[in-house]
Amino acid sequence: MGETSEQAGGADRADRLHEAGPDGEKLRPAGPDDGNPHATGPDGGTTAQAARRRRLAAWRASERVLVRAPMDRPMGGQLTALAADAGSVYDMDDHPDVYGDGIVTELERRVAALLGFPAAAFFPTGTMAQQVALRCWAGRTGNSTVALHPLAHPEVHEAGALPVVSGLRTVHPTKEPRLPTAEEVQDLAEPFGTLMLELPLRDAGFVLPSWEELVATVDAARERDAVVHVDGARLWECASHFGRPLAEIAGLADSVYVSFYKSLNGLSGAVLAGPPELVEEARVWRHRYGGQVFQQYPAALAALLGLERELPRLPAYVEHARVVAAALAEGFAASSVPWFRVHPEPPHTHQFQVWLPYAPDVLNEAAVRQAEETKTALFRVWSAPAAALPGVSFTEVTVAEPGLEWTAEEVRAAVEEFVTRLLEAQS
């Protein structure tokens, strides 16, 4: 029998909340800034703020990185680049949008076509888009229970919003760190109106099922008269793993949400795609939730640029992530660390996890020192896992355009430099 969200408990959910960091990485509260968060640092700020400023300074100054995060560039540079490049994807003589017309409508049209849906609506955040979608489906199915993974975004990163804001109840087909199987969906002991699948499942290591497994799981939900909604915040990079075009992957579901800043380097924003009647209802709820923003053209322009530039590059990032992951494993295997894990191996997307048996503060000190001293930022933020495992930490590795320059030998050499500083930080 699956576990309900009520059984999981609100306190446990709060403990698992993440603090959003640069580039979409999220730091757990027990992460690199452990200790008194209100302690005063040498510059008058808190120690947590001082540590974060130090990390940002080190990343910005690094000459070799696997990914260049938005926070690595000052606002002026980002705005200048956006203004210089936007004319390649949209007529800059056109008027700015007003409450979702103009360029926002064009973005909705392009994404709907890309995903193979007849309609789409732009939202300022993916959290809002997804909550609205699940709320709308609950009304249409007459069942307010959502089946999803306990590591899915609404359960871990949204402060319990589904039950608190929308009155929805969640059940979990599985606790295993992977997407639910068809058998687990079939065997769930209570009825549900919507099955939500996060592709990839980020907190389990950006993992994906096989195409056959995914189809079987969707079919199992249909057999139970449930609709299927896909949390596709990172759907863009799934095509390589499945060997299918985006429209075919999205077409398995009744609705899909996609993000523009997680993999496409957008500023913000998301789109909910689905049947016209659902999307029209979602627009009403968007207004009720406070998402009817006056003007959003900077976010829309950045999203169009991401679709134009980053989306075609993602297969290359996924392919090279496998090279980087293998080289990391080889580097740690040849080092003096007592244990390590690269997960999954090989990666399913251009993002994956690395685990080491050290505390986050020790690993973060080694990572930032490597960036400061060698101008090479191999790792960004190390965090403690949600399930308390003393002395064990993980980090998320993203391979994007800067990472394509790294050879396997250079990755192994960077691991050696990192371990040297790790042992120094530990002593």
Side-chain angles (χ1 to χ4, degrees):
M1 178 185 293
E3 178 191 30
T4 68
S5 56
E6 289 86 351
Q7 289 170 329
D12 178 63
R13 184 185 300 111
D15 289 342
R16 290 183 280 127
L17 289 176
H18 285 140
E19 169 196 295
D23 84 332
E25 291 176 294
K26 299 191 179 180
L27 318 182
R28 298 183 185 276
D33 299 325
D34 288 342
N36 180 5
H38 304 294
T40 302
D43 60 355
T46 66
T47 53
Q49 292 170 338
R52 184 169 183 269
R53 283 194 291 269
R54 182 187 174 198
R55 290 195 301 271
L56 289 175
W59 296 336
R60 287 175 177 173
S62 293
E63 298 168 358
R64 292 184 60 77
V65 295
L66 290 170
V67 61
R68 184 64 71 185
M71 291 294 290
D72 295 350
R73 297 172 61 191
M75 287 187 293
Q78 293 191 55
L79 289 173
T80 299
L82 178 60
D85 298 340
S88 66
V89 292
Y90 197 77
D91 182 5
M92 296 302 287
D93 290 329
D94 197 2
H95 296 289
D97 62 293
V98 177
Y99 290 122
D101 65 1
I103 185 173
V104 175
T105 301
E106 175 62 14
L107 176 61
E108 291 171 342
R109 184 193 67 78
R110 294 191 193 183
V111 174
L114 188 62
L115 298 179
F117 281 96
F122 184 82
F123 281 77
T125 72
T127 296
M128 184 186 294
Q130 193 141 267
Q131 288 181 31
V132 166
L134 296 175
R135 181 172 196 146
C136 290
W137 281 126
R140 290 171 179 274
T141 62
N143 189 322
S144 62
T145 300
V146 180
L148 77 175
H149 199 283
L151 292 178
H153 196 278
E155 295 288 71
V156 182
H157 302 295
E158 297 178 16
L162 288 184
V164 173
V165 178
S166 298
L168 303 181
R169 180 170 174 270
T170 61
V171 293
H172 306 148
T174 183
K175 294 181 181 179
E176 295 298 318
R178 53 161 172 72
L179 273 295
T181 65
E183 291 75 16
E184 288 164 340
V185 171
Q186 290 167 347
D187 294 341
L188 193 55
E190 51 191 311
F192 55 92
T194 304
L195 173 66
M196 196 206 87
L197 299 173
E198 182 177 324
L199 302 177
L201 186 56
R202 179 264 182 96
D203 278 275
F206 307 95
V207 297
L208 290 164
S210 69
W211 177 253
E212 293 74 19
E213 289 169 335
L214 179 60
V215 171
T217 297
V218 169
D219 288 345
R222 300 264 193 262
E223 291 171 4
R224 297 197 57 166
D225 296 324
V227 298
V228 177
H229 170 75
V230 165
D231 175 342
R234 297 172 175 82
L235 186 71
W236 309 114
E237 59 264 37
C238 293
S240 296
H241 175 82
F242 290 129
R244 301 290 198 285
L246 283 170
E248 186 175 355
I249 301 169
L252 290 178
D254 297 282
S255 62
V256 174
Y257 131 69
V258 290
S259 173
F260 296 118
Y261 79 87
K262 291 184 172 66
S263 301
L264 300 184
N265 287 345
L267 293 177
S268 61
V271 152
L272 172 65
E277 59 276 11
L278 177 83
V279 172
E280 285 308 306
E281 183 185 1
R283 293 181 190 277
V284 176
W285 281 105
R286 180 183 64 188
H287 195 172
R288 290 168 175 161
Y289 273 63
Q292 190 76 354
V293 180
F294 178 52
Q295 289 187 328
Q296 301 177 95
Y297 65 90
L301 286 169
L304 289 173
L305 280 168
L307 293 173
E308 179 76 17
R309 296 184 174 184
E310 284 300 298
L311 184 57
R313 297 172 179 169
L314 285 172
Y317 300 167
V318 174
E319 181 179 358
H320 200 63
R322 296 165 183 161
V323 175
V324 171
L328 286 171
E330 292 166 359
F332 281 118
S335 75
S336 57
V337 300
W339 173 87
F340 73 91
R341 186 180 182 191
V342 175
H343 174 72
E345 193 174 6
H348 297 171
T349 73
H350 70 312
Q351 297 179 287
F352 56 92
Q353 295 176 340
V354 176
W355 292 70
L356 285 174
Y358 302 92
D361 56 345
V362 174
L363 291 160
N364 280 297
E365 177 62 22
V368 76
R369 278 191 55 200
Q370 180 177 17
E372 290 170 337
E373 296 168 5
T374 70
K375 303 301 180 185
T376 294
L378 179 61
F379 300 117
R380 293 182 72 92
V381 180
W382 291 83
S383 305
L389 297 172
V392 176
S393 305
F394 77 99
T395 189
E396 294 176 344
V397 177
T398 300
V399 178
E401 184 177 16
L404 298 180
E405 301 176 2
W406 291 55
T407 65
E409 182 178 353
E410 289 169 334
V411 174
R412 290 191 291 267
V415 170
E416 184 177 358
E417 293 174 344
F418 172 75
V419 171
T420 297
R421 287 161 179 80
L422 171 60
L423 297 178
E424 292 171 353
Q426 190 185 25
S427 61

